[in-house]
């Protein structure tokens, strides 16, 4: 199954966006750890955040710590990435991925080619 990210757009520096991650019908995100990733032009895909399965423990890369928050809404089968205080360097295509554990997602931070990526969403931070 491929996960689809949406909610991107053009925002001024200091602004906010909320991205959504959904799966195809019948696939429950509740039973998986979910990670957010991004890829800026000319750069490698990088991990942004993860949210665990059982206790929704979250982990963030240093550059977004304190500005981004990941959460789940199991009733809507959706995982969100709330992005605040956006900076031009946050400009990228954002993707989401699922894994059997947080460790599995953190492996994708190192080996992103091991995952079948779905559609990402463009986030552009510019004045």
């Amino acid at each position: 199954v491929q996960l689809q990210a949406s909610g991107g757009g053009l925002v001024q520096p200091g602004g906010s966006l909320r991205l959504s991650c959904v799966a195809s019908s019948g696939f429950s995100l509740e039973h998986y750890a979910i990670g957010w990733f991004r890829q800026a032009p000319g750069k490698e895909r990088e991990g942004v955040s993860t949210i665990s399965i059982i206790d929704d423990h979250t982990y963030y890369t240093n550059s977004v710590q304190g500005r981004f928050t990941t959460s789940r809404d199991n009733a809507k089968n959706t995982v969100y990435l709330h992005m605040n205080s956006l900076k031009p360097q946050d400009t990228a295509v954002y993707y989401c991925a699922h894994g059997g554990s947080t460790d599995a997602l953190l492996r994708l931070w190192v080996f992103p080619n091991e995952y079948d990526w779905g559609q990402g969403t463009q986030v552009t931070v510019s004045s």
Side-chain angles (χ1 to χ4, degrees):
V1 64
Q2 289 185 334
L3 304 189
Q4 310 299 325
S6 63
L10 173 63
V11 62
Q12 291 187 342
S16 299
L17 281 174
R18 186 185 74 171
L19 306 185
S20 299
C21 175
V22 297
S24 55
S25 178
F27 188 84
S28 175
L29 297 182
E30 179 179 2
H31 305 299
Y32 292 89
I34 304 297
W36 284 96
F37 298 76
R38 65 186 180 186
Q39 188 165 18
K43 294 189 175 182
E44 300 270 330
R45 191 163 306 193
E46 65 170 344
V48 174
S49 73
T50 63
I51 184 167
S52 66
I53 301 171
I54 297 176
D55 57 4
D56 286 352
H57 177 72
T58 54
Y59 178 80
Y60 303 93
T61 192
N62 287 342
S63 62
V64 308
Q65 183 75 41
R67 300 188 297 123
F68 290 12
T69 304
T70 296
S71 65
R72 296 178 183 269
D73 186 336
N74 291 331
K76 295 182 178 180
N77 198 29
T78 303
V79 175
Y80 300 103
L81 181 66
H82 308 264
M83 306 187 296
N84 298 315
S85 303
L86 282 162
K87 304 176 181 180
Q89 51 265 45
D90 295 318
T91 295
V93 178
Y94 284 71
Y95 302 85
C96 54
H98 72 294
S101 65
T102 297
D103 286 345
L105 289 173
L106 291 176
R107 179 178 172 85
L108 294 181
W109 288 35
V110 181
F111 304 108
N113 292 336
E114 292 186 351
Y115 188 77
D116 184 17
W117 297 95
Q119 179 180 330
T121 187
Q122 175 71 48
V123 172
T124 302
V125 185
S126 175
S127 56

